[in-house]
Amino acid sequence: MLAFFAISLTATYASFPVQKTSTNTTTTVVQKEELTSPAAAAGGKSQVMALILCALIGVIGIHRFYLGYTWQGVVQLLTLGACGIWSLIDLIRIITGDLQPKDGSYDKTL
């Protein structure tokens, strides 16, 4: 169950090109659009979500998986967040904005 939860947090959605044709009386126009899922279109990571994950289940490192730090999440999972100390430090770092997602910055902040 834990593996399913970790995979669902890091799931990506495929996008694919779609051709639209519109016919006018004299010409036919072909437009290409790229469709994405609403979740992928919504963007990246939320600081509020990272804070909630860290506060509720930070001991097992789920917030690290969410932010894209897979190996650090595995280490936190195996050490129980270094008995909670690492999770407390991460909680403070998320609140101050020091712990950012691996791919850049938060889309939604506090």
Side-chain angles (χ1 to χ4, degrees), residues 21-107:
T21 52
S22 59
T23 306
N24 197 347
T25 57
T26 58
T27 61
T28 301
V29 177
V30 177
Q31 299 174 339
K32 287 190 177 182
E33 291 183 11
E34 191 167 309
L35 298 179
T36 58
S37 70
K45 309 296 181 188
S46 167
Q47 187 178 11
V48 175
M49 179 56 93
L51 181 65
I52 291 170
L53 288 173
C54 186
L56 295 179
I57 48 178
V59 175
I60 57 175
I62 297 299
H63 61 285
R64 286 288 184 160
F65 288 106
Y66 176 73
L67 293 175
Y69 300 104
T70 307
W71 282 108
Q72 291 174 353
V74 170
V75 172
Q76 275 193 339
L77 179 66
L78 295 175
T79 64
L80 292 179
C83 297
I85 295 170
W86 195 358
S87 302
L88 181 63
I89 292 169
D90 282 352
L91 183 70
I92 294 168
R93 289 183 66 199
I94 290 172
I95 291 172
T96 60
D98 185 42
L99 183 58
Q100 297 283 327
K102 188 174 185 175
D103 59 352
S105 61
Y106 293 112
D107 284 347

